[in-house]
Amino acid sequence: MATNRGNRARQTEEVDNTINYVQCDGLAAMKIVKHCHEESSNMDLAQGALLGLVVDKCLEITNCFPFPKSDDDSMDEEMYQLTMMRRLRRVNVDHFHVGWYQSSNVGNFLSMALLESQYHYQTSIEESVVVIYDTQKSGRGFLCLKAYRLTPQAIQMYKDGDFTPEALRNMKVGYESLFVEIPIVIKNSPLTNIMMSELCEMMPEEQGHNFLDLGTASVLENHMRCLIERVDELYQESIRYNKYQQVVFKQETEKHRALTKQAAENALRVAKGESPIPEEEVLKQFRPLPVPPRLNATITSGQINTYSQHISQFCSQSLAKLFITQSLQNAKESKEVAK
């Protein structure tokens, strides 16, 4: 047992190549934003590959390209990605695969498919990350671009394939330890910063106040609706697990009753000089029940936690907007009174 634990600890240390932060070029960020908004208009999920390199503890994302969307089964996505990276290399563009990106709507990105995809990426490319872009929240003036990595415990859990409550408890895996968020910064070249400064000066004054949009009710409503749906799913998962526990308790009670009855019968047989019946004959009648997996409940709990964090952050930013707007309105009224 101690040897297995030591091997598991060594495997965890091998997988855990921590990235301190992610640095994304402005060009790559704009490509991600453009692709995600184009697909969101069709209510489709946007996904793509991230290209760049690793410098010390910094993962630099310098370029990206979208995954193909085709209903043709003959389309080889892996060959498409290799061809794209080979052609980018010819034009002297960073072609090293460092992860992938995905769009989300109202923060509903945490799922079994995301966990499986990131597991395969992170086991083949140790420094890889998944970048999540929230289209609806960004459309309201809050740029939501976040990078995530699987924790070593989550990688080991998925590698073992054991999602029972006991296994999750022994590995100390919960909804808060599935993914870890990596800080992400957007970096532009000096020429890009100069051009953006000139564009800000050329922008009319009335167009510069679009970030003070106070119409946040729809975003909060969608967040709350999705939160209620996830809470209902978690409630259904808890009902299934409670039913399983009730069946196990009933089986244990019947087993205990049968063993007690057999012990009394064996005492009579021994008194008569006969051989007692072994307990295995009784235990064969009670087969162990399959334990329901708890991974879906863990993912649902993580999604609820993500919704709660987004709602808290969004409300804080919305309150800041209201106070700013109130100050501007008071200043305008004071200016009119002075005139």
Side-chain angles (χ1 to χ4, degrees), residues 159-174:
K159 184 182 298 184
D160 295 342
D162 188 3
F163 307 131
T164 59
E166 184 179 357
L168 297 182
R169 183 174 60 254
N170 293 337
M171 297 191 66
K172 298 181 180 180
V173 176

Side-chain angles (χ1 to χ4, degrees), residues 19 99 132 180 223 324:
I19 299 298
I132 304 296
V180 57
H223 271 85
I324 292 174

Side-chain angles (χ1 to χ4, degrees), residues 233-266:
E233 291 180 7
L234 187 60
Y235 177 69
Q236 295 298 328
E237 289 287 341
S238 65
I239 290 178
R240 296 190 192 98
Y241 190 70
N242 288 337
K243 289 182 178 179
Y244 161 77
Q245 289 182 320
Q246 293 173 2
V247 173
V248 170
F249 178 76
K250 182 179 179 180
Q251 186 185 62
E252 290 294 330
T253 303
E254 294 177 355
K255 184 191 298 185
H256 179 72
R257 187 183 298 112
L259 290 174
T260 303
K261 181 179 179 182
Q262 185 194 19
E265 292 178 355
N266 286 338

Side-chain angles (χ1 to χ4, degrees), residues 283-316:
L283 296 178
K284 288 180 182 179
Q285 304 175 9
F286 302 95
R287 297 181 180 179
L289 299 173
V291 182
R294 299 296 292 166
L295 183 58
N296 289 334
T298 305
I299 292 176
T300 305
S301 301
Q303 187 63 69
I304 292 174
N305 183 52
T306 302
Y307 283 140
S308 302
Q309 292 177 355
H310 283 196
I311 291 173
S312 176
Q313 181 184 9
F314 194 76
C315 289
S316 300

